[in-house]
Each structure stands twice: as C-alpha cells, then as structure tokens.
Amino acid sequence: MGRRQEGGQHGQPCQHDPSFRGPIQKRSCTDIICCVLFLVFIAGYMVVGILAWLYGDPRQVVYPRNSTGAYCGIGGNRDKPFVLYFDLLQCVPSIGALAAALDGLQCLTPQVCVSSCPETFWTVPVTAFTSPGQRPDQVWTAELKRLCQPGLNLTDTHLTAAEIIRRDLCPRYTIPSKPILNRCFPWFNSSDLGSFSLDGLSPNGTQEALAAGVRQIMTSLDARDISVKIFEDFAQSWYWILIGLVIAMALSLLFLLLLRFVAGILVWLLIIGVLGLGAYGIYHCWREYSTLRAAGASITSVGFSTDLSVYGSVKETWLAALILLGVVEGILLLLLIFLRTRIRIAIALLQEASRAIGYMMLSILYPLVTFVLLIICVAYWGMTALYLATSGTPLYRVTPNNASAPGCSAVSGNQSCDPLTFNASQWLPCVTGCTFLAYDTKGLLQRNLFNLQIYNVLGLLWVANFALALGQCVLAGAFASYYWARDKPRDIPPCAITAAFLRTLRYHVGSLAFGALILTIVQLIRIFLEYLDHKLKGAENPLTRCLLCCLKCCFWCLEKFIKFLNRNAYIMIAIYGKNFCVSAKNAFSLLMRNILRVVVLDKVTDLLLFFGKLLVVGGIGVLAFFFFSGRLPGAGSTPPALHYYWLPIITVVAGAYLISHGFFSVYNMCVDTLFLCFLEDLERNDGSVEKPYYMSKPLMKILHKKNKTKDKAKTKDKDKEKVKAKDKAKK
C-alpha cells in the first residue's frame, strides 16, 4: 500500500504543491488548430444540411402520389390519403403491352387519391357499350363518383359513358380493397369472387391476374432504395420511439437515485449474487452428473453427433461444466480474499461518489444537456440523410391510357411532359396522360449523394463524440473541485457544474474535438470493416475471413482503449488545463503506477453500472419488441404498419443504451475523477501538517492513514525532545 517515491518507467510521482487547491483557474486555450478544424467542419456540415434542405423533398417517402404527381394526404388531397389504381390488369407486363417499356413506372393505369378504398365487387354494365348515348350518371353511382378523376362532373359532362371508359376518366370495375402502404390493394377470399370476371377471364384467372398486378406494383416499390424504406418506417413510428426513449430516461434517473443511498449494499449484493449463481451452477451440474452416472449414460454410447443437444444427456458434459465452474468459483473466491482491501477502497470511492453527487444534485440533471445535444445530432443527421436521399426534381412522361388502342404506337413513353401545361389533344387519336415517372438522379448534387452521405455520417460521429466528451470534461471539473475542497461542503465552489461548463467551452473545445476525432476515425474504420464483412459473407476464402475477423477484434479493442484513455485525459484537462496529448500521457502514467487498484476499481464499477444498463436497456428492448411486433397484450394503441418492425426496436434499444450511458456516465465520471484525485493525493501528500490528505475519513481508515493536527504534531515533537533529553542524561 505504500507509495513509490522514485520515478520509474511510468514517470515521476506527483510532487506536493502547497498552492494547489483543485482545478486550476488560470489557464490558456489548448489544441487551437484542432479547434479551428472542428469549427470549419461544422460550417461545412451546415452547408450540406442547407443543400439537402433546398433540393430534398421528404414528402415522397411519407405520402404516395397520383398519376399527375400530386401527393395524397396533404394539400388539396388532405382528406384523400390513399391511392387507387383504376385497372390492376394494366400493371402486368403480359396484359399491359407497354408496361415493360416504361422503366420506373409502377403501373400504366391512372392512379387517383381517394378518401377510402372500395369495399364491393362492381363492373361497368354491358349497356354502357351497347347503348352509345348512355349518360355516365346512369353507370356510376354517387358512391363510385368519388373514385373518378378529380374535376370530372358526371352530371354536367358532354361525354358518354363509353367515352369516359375509353379515356380512363373513371374506373371500369372495383374490387374489395384495403390500404397497404397507403395504396388500395385487393383484399378478398377466393369464395367471394363468385362469377365475377374481367376481360373474359375466368374467376380464377381474374384472381391470378389481379395478384400479378399487385406483385408488379410491390416489386416496383421494393426496388426503391432501402434507405427510403427505412425513413418511411421512421416517419410512421417516430413518436413511439420517442416514448420509449422517455421511459428509458426515467428508468436511468430512478437507478441513479437508488445508487445515491445504497451504493455499497448493491456492490456486495452483486458480488454475493455472482458467487451464489456460480455455487448454484456447481450444485446443478453435480446433481445432473450424479443422475446420469447412475443411469450409465456415457459419451461412448453417443459418439460424434452434429446435434449438440444430445450431449446434454451424457455425464461427461456435466462433469466438464462442473470442473469449469468449480475453477472459476475458486478463482473468484481467492480474488475476493486477497483483493478485499482494494474492493473496500472501490466501495468507499463509490460511496464518496454518492456523497459528491448529493452535494452537486445538478450533476444528475446534466445528462439531460448531453441527451439534448445527442438528440439534436441524431435528428440533424437523420433529416439531412432523408433530404439528401429524396433530392431531385420530379420527371413526367407521356403515357397512353390504353396502350393497345389504335394510334398509340407512336407513344413510346420517352416523351417528357409537364402536368400543368400538358395538352392531350396533340396526341389524338391516342388518349394519353402526363404521368409521374421518378426523380431526377443526374444532377450535380445527386451524383455526389454518396460522398455527402459519408460526410453526414462523419459529422454525426464526430459531433456526437464531442458532445459526450464535453459532458465528461464538465463533470470531471466539477467533481475534482469537490475532492480538493479541504472542508466539505463549505469549500465546494458554488455553481461548480456551470463554472466547469463555461471553463471547458472557453479553453478546451480543441482538446475535446481532438479526442473525439481520434475516436471517430477508429469508429469509421470499424464501420468499413463491418461493410466488408457484409460484402464478403459469401466468400469461401478462409484466410480472408480470418484476417477480417482479427481486424475487427483489434479495432474493437482499440476503440475501447481510446475511450478509456480519452476519459482519463479529459479529467486531467479539467483539472490542469493542459493540451490533450500531455493530459493523456500524465493520466496514463498515473494509472500505470497504480495498475492493480485501477483493475479492481474498474471491474467493480463496471459490474455495478452493467447491472443498471442491463435493467434499463433490457427492459426497454423487451417492451419495444412486444409492442412493435404486435404481441403486447392490452396495448391501448396498435403498432404502426412497417416494412421492418425490427428497425424501431433497434433504434429504441440503441437510444436507451445511449441515454443510460449518458446518465450512468455521471456516476462513472465521478468515480473515475475521484479515483485519479485519490491517487494524486497519495503521491502529493503524506498526512503531515504541511502535507495533509484530502481524501475522506473512510478512505483513510481503509488505508490506515490519518492526518496529523497541529496539537498532535506539537505533542509528538515534545515527546521526541524528552526522549533526546533522556538519552543525553544517560550518556
């Protein structure tokens, strides 16, 4: 437990400084070059967002379009959120002759916005064709009039019913349908068809043709970029995701309040629980082994099998598990016996952290600042990615309403048009329309969408890591001022959180951006490796797979190490105000001089915080799974219809982890800060009147340390003088 007085390979121990009283107030700006680089990057990130906002149109992933390109569900079609296809048979290439020629169109038939999908079978009566003068209001009832093209008045028009059908101004049949992805698709049983048939097809042929038309539309929808589907799911479920994140925030606050009062009890309960779980595992393995040994079940009777479940019925399996658990349990018991003092130090630091948080209750609320900053980062990234993915001007093509009609051979589907100025008379005798095709992807912005999306991802990672670093540095500055206060709580600076926040923003933006950039680069490499792994899943080269797996493992370890190093560097930055590299070096040297204490404290703290994160993330994840998969009994609201129901679940779980990590980082940063201050306290001071310890009395009691008062020092000096006088008298 003694201190190292001489310097070694990990640097010189900290020297006593009588003027040191906690975080240094007189400091200068650090890592200015990185600060300028970060600000320039943020300016570029804002430019990317402005360009995306100017050229993007996210309505296309939320609302469907009719044939003219107008959105259904907003604007003039606010009360008509669904799209109806007049003739699904025209969506099948074998039936609609021009369907294969118009690449990108979902279907050649007119599409209109409707308030609700049809619910009955109906077809135009034969008299509409045999009686040329039959009026349209004698064919389409009041219920069916709402399905016609907008602006058509069936009572005042001079067109006959046959002409309206030829021009595809009204549907010639309806089928019971339901809205799927805001599009009316057939929804009926085979028995409901009866004698209903279309275009001379049998009832079964009619059903197969309709199903083929639906598949053609769904194939066209599935051909869209997956990112568009993802954003559609977010648009449908964002408020449920937000509710899940609020619940995660409430659970995190509750666990922190629990730590405030029973931190020590929870640590011992967790340690005893782990040992008890291991003891039960040993007992269970012994019971299974005894039963199978009596039954004579052995691995020789089973042999080799690819079905791993059969090995659970042989005694050797349980014997091996018994030996393994026994060894692990023995190691844990030995560690508990030999490291009990250091575990007590860790518990004392946890309790000291609880007292520090109790004196600075504002620190519990600070994660809300980090949470808001992360929400802003993620929201800005999501909106920028959405606007970039939907950037481009709409394209329209001239299409015939009946491709097989005479005179339509000249309409190739490649002629551009404007729905506002389109003149159908120039295409007579073929009846045509100006139909929405797709969005232009050949502009300058669209050609660089991939690069802009990469910039967007880089911006998300760097800014999010900076927000987390800012929170760590601010909390470290506040808790360091608590530790180095001689008389607690009287000497604790007022508004310590606010002062540390302003001090960090004024002097150390560059250092925080530097540390966040290093972490971001490693995270980008990991994302790239995951992308390569996804692309090479079908590769049969074992060397490539092994190399990729090793790289992923190495960079995962590197990311963990950099996070650990950054956190301790931010503590040193908050206390001494030096640049990132010097602070990281000093923190690393101090920790290496006390490596055993670091390992014990880190594992005890990790065990406690892992338990809390498991409660929050696991509980929210299970709740989100049951809700979005439609398995939550008694739910007041039904889950939204989604392409991928697992997408909001992953989002909620990831968000809950970030939130719990943000809240638990208060406790973690408090413990880490107090621990570094504690190590420096041991190196700087020796408990004398000139060099008193700043640590709490419980810590001094565990370490068998104590501060000498002036009275005790005087008494001790007098005793020494008496001893010297006696020695002289004897001589």
Side-chain angles (χ1 to χ4, degrees):
M1 301 302 295
R3 295 173 295 144
R4 294 184 58 180
Q5 299 295 335
E6 301 296 334
Q9 60 178 339
H10 300 301
Q12 295 287 342
C14 299
Q15 301 300 318
H16 176 71
D17 182 3
S19 63
F20 181 72
R21 292 293 184 271
I24 296 173
Q25 301 300 320
K26 293 183 179 181
R27 55 180 71 194
S28 58
C29 296
T30 56
D31 296 304
I32 299 176
I33 296 177
C34 196
C35 178
V36 173
L37 178 64
F38 182 65
L39 294 178
V40 171
F41 179 86
I42 293 296
Y45 199 18
M46 294 175 65
V47 171
V48 172
I50 292 173
L51 291 175
W53 180 77
L54 289 176
Y55 293 97
D57 187 6
R59 293 179 299 176
Q60 61 172 293
V61 302
V62 180
Y63 305 101
R65 285 175 174 263
N66 61 14
S67 297
T68 65
Y71 292 108
C72 300
I74 58 173
N77 296 319
R78 186 177 300 275
D79 57 341
K80 299 177 180 180
F82 309 120
V83 167
L84 173 69
Y85 297 86
F86 273 13
D87 188 2
L88 286 172
L89 300 183
Q90 294 296 321
C91 302
V92 187
S94 60
I95 299 178
L98 200 61
L102 297 179
D103 183 27
L105 285 177
Q106 299 173 9
C107 191
L108 285 175
T109 188
Q111 303 158 32
V112 296
C113 300
V114 295
S115 57
S116 61
C117 297
E119 299 178 353
T120 58
F121 289 102
W122 174 85
T123 186
V124 172
V126 179
T127 56
F129 304 97
T130 58
S131 301
Q134 187 171 14
R135 297 291 301 166
D137 54 356
Q138 297 174 342
V139 177
W140 288 275
T141 63
E143 173 63 21
L144 295 174
K145 289 179 182 178
R146 67 181 181 84
L147 305 179
C148 295
Q149 294 278 13
L152 178 64
N153 191 334
L154 295 179
T155 58
D156 295 339
T157 183
H158 65 280
L159 299 175
T160 63
E163 187 68 16
I164 288 176
I165 294 173
R166 189 174 72 87
R167 296 189 180 187
D168 273 342
L169 298 177
C170 289
R172 63 187 181 93
Y173 65 87
T174 63
I175 300 173
S177 306
K178 283 189 176 182
I180 301 176
L181 301 178
N182 288 342
R183 293 162 177 84
C184 295
F185 289 144
W187 193 272
F188 57 87
N189 297 321
S190 301
S191 58
D192 298 334
L193 273 171
S195 59
F196 183 81
S197 64
L198 297 172
D199 292 351
L201 299 173
S202 65
N204 289 336
T206 299
Q207 183 180 5
E208 292 176 1
L210 292 173
V214 172
R215 284 195 298 269
Q216 178 71 14
I217 297 174
M218 295 302 293
T219 301
S220 176
L221 295 176
D222 289 340
R224 295 177 302 173
D225 189 79
I226 189 173
S227 62
V228 176
K229 293 184 181 181
I230 291 174
F231 289 123
E232 284 183 353
D233 287 346
F234 278 128
Q236 293 288 333
S237 59
W238 66 269
Y239 45 91
W240 294 111
I241 293 175
L242 188 60
I243 291 174
L245 297 181
V246 171
I247 295 175
M249 184 173 61
L251 289 178
S252 300
L253 277 172
L254 182 62
F255 191 82
L256 277 182
L257 291 176
L258 187 64
L259 287 180
R260 169 70 179 88
F261 301 102
V262 291
I265 297 176
L266 280 179
V267 171
W268 285 114
L269 284 178
L270 287 173
I271 293 175
I272 294 173
V274 171
L275 293 175
L277 187 63
Y280 175 77
I282 293 173
Y283 165 74
H284 181 76
C285 293
W286 170 254
R287 189 177 61 181
E288 293 291 335
Y289 172 72
S290 300
T291 303
L292 293 174
R293 185 177 60 178
S298 176
I299 196 171
T300 55
S301 60
V302 175
F304 177 78
S305 176
T306 57
D307 185 8
L308 299 180
S309 60
V310 301
Y311 291 105
S313 58
V314 297
K315 62 181 181 179
E316 285 82 2
T317 302
W318 295 102
L319 178 61
L322 174 64
I323 296 173
L324 179 63
L325 284 177
V327 171
V328 172
E329 186 81 356
I331 293 174
L332 289 177
L333 285 173
L334 290 175
L335 289 176
L336 182 62
I337 293 172
F338 288 103
L339 300 179
R340 62 186 185 278
T341 302
R342 290 179 171 82
I343 293 176
R344 289 173 60 198
I345 294 174
I347 294 174
L349 281 172
L350 289 171
Q351 293 171 336
E352 188 72 9
S354 298
R355 284 190 288 270
I357 293 174
Y359 289 128
M360 300 178 181
M361 291 302 294
L362 190 62
S363 61
I364 292 183
L365 299 179
Y366 184 83
L368 294 176
V369 178
T370 304
F371 175 70
V372 171
L373 292 177
L374 291 177
I375 287 294
I376 293 174
C377 295
V378 174
Y380 185 83
W381 163 80
M383 294 304 297
T384 302
L386 174 59
Y387 275 86
L388 285 175
T390 58
S391 61
T393 56
L395 301 177
Y396 298 87
R397 293 290 184 267
V398 178
T399 56
N401 287 353
N402 191 345
S404 60
C408 290
S409 58
V411 182
S412 63
N414 294 323
Q415 293 88 350
S416 301
C417 60
D418 186 347
L420 299 178
T421 61
F422 179 69
N423 185 7
S425 60
Q426 63 178 329
W427 300 97
L428 293 175
C430 182
V431 180
T432 58
C434 187
T435 306
F436 170 74
L437 173 65
Y439 283 89
D440 182 19
T441 59
K442 298 181 180 179
L444 178 62
L445 180 68
Q446 288 72 40
R447 291 198 303 268
N448 292 278
L449 281 181
F450 180 77
N451 296 330
L452 293 177
Q453 292 286 20
I454 293 295
Y455 192 97
N456 191 26
V457 173
L458 176 62
L460 170 66
L461 294 176
W462 197 359
V463 176
N465 287 328
F466 176 83
L468 293 173
L470 176 63
Q472 292 174 348
C473 195
V474 169
L475 292 173
F479 293 129
S481 64
Y482 163 83
Y483 185 92
W484 297 107
R486 174 65 66 188
D487 186 7
K488 305 177 182 62
R490 188 188 65 183
D491 293 340
I492 299 176
C495 303
I497 296 290
T498 305
F501 181 79
L502 296 176
R503 186 168 60 243
T504 303
L505 282 183
R506 180 179 178 183
Y507 296 108
H508 306 304
V509 170
S511 297
L512 301 186
F514 188 17
L517 178 61
I518 296 174
L519 183 59
T520 298
I521 293 173
V522 176
Q523 290 173 339
L524 280 177
I525 295 175
R526 289 194 62 204
I527 293 174
F528 178 71
L529 291 176
E530 291 293 341
Y531 174 77
L532 283 182
D533 186 40
H534 176 73
K535 288 296 183 181
L536 297 176
K537 275 188 176 179
E540 298 181 357
N541 190 338
L543 180 61
T544 303
R545 300 286 298 170
C546 179
L547 179 62
L548 187 60
C549 182
C550 293
L551 286 175
K552 288 169 60 178
C553 180
C554 291
F555 277 96
W556 179 84
C557 296
L558 180 61
E559 181 182 358
K560 294 296 182 183
F561 174 74
I562 289 177
K563 286 182 177 180
F564 172 78
L565 188 63
N566 282 4
R567 186 170 66 249
N568 291 284
Y570 298 148
I571 296 173
M572 288 299 191
I573 291 172
I575 298 175
Y576 298 105
K578 297 182 180 180
N579 62 48
F580 178 83
C581 293
V582 173
S583 299
K585 173 182 173 296
N586 293 339
F588 183 75
S589 299
L590 178 62
L591 293 174
M592 290 302 296
R593 292 197 296 268
N594 300 270
I595 186 62
L596 191 57
R597 288 173 180 163
V598 173
V599 172
V600 174
L601 177 71
D602 188 60
K603 294 309 174 185
V604 170
T605 307
D606 284 349
L607 182 64
L608 182 63
L609 297 184
F610 172 76
F611 179 71
K613 290 180 183 179
L614 186 65
L615 286 178
V616 175
V617 178
I620 293 297
V622 170
L623 181 63
F625 171 77
F626 279 100
F627 176 77
F628 287 107
S629 62
R631 304 177 187 178
L632 186 63
S637 300
T638 57
L642 304 172
H643 296 285
Y644 314 109
Y645 76 88
W646 48 263
L647 186 64
I649 297 175
I650 294 177
T651 305
V652 169
V653 169
Y657 173 79
L658 289 176
I659 290 172
S660 62
H661 179 77
F663 277 98
F664 293 161
S665 66
V666 174
Y667 212 86
N668 205 7
M669 281 305 300
C670 187
V671 173
D672 289 345
T673 303
L674 296 182
F675 182 58
L676 282 182
C677 295
F678 161 74
L679 296 180
E680 285 207 0
D681 193 10
L682 285 177
E683 291 186 349
R684 286 179 178 274
N685 306 306
D686 56 9
S688 63
V689 177
E690 296 78 12
K691 302 178 182 180
Y693 292 117
Y694 283 82
M695 68 184 72
S696 62
K697 292 182 179 180
L699 274 174
M700 285 192 286
K701 184 178 180 181
I702 293 172
L703 296 173
H704 304 290
K705 306 283 186 181
K706 60 182 179 179
N707 284 330
K708 300 175 183 177
T709 62
K710 292 183 178 180
D711 294 337
K712 291 182 178 179
K714 290 180 180 179
T715 303
K716 191 172 183 180
D717 291 339
K718 290 180 179 178
D719 292 339
K720 289 181 179 179
E721 290 177 358
K722 290 180 179 180
V723 171
K724 289 181 180 179
K726 289 181 179 179
D727 292 338
K728 288 182 179 180
K730 289 180 180 179
K731 291 180 180 179

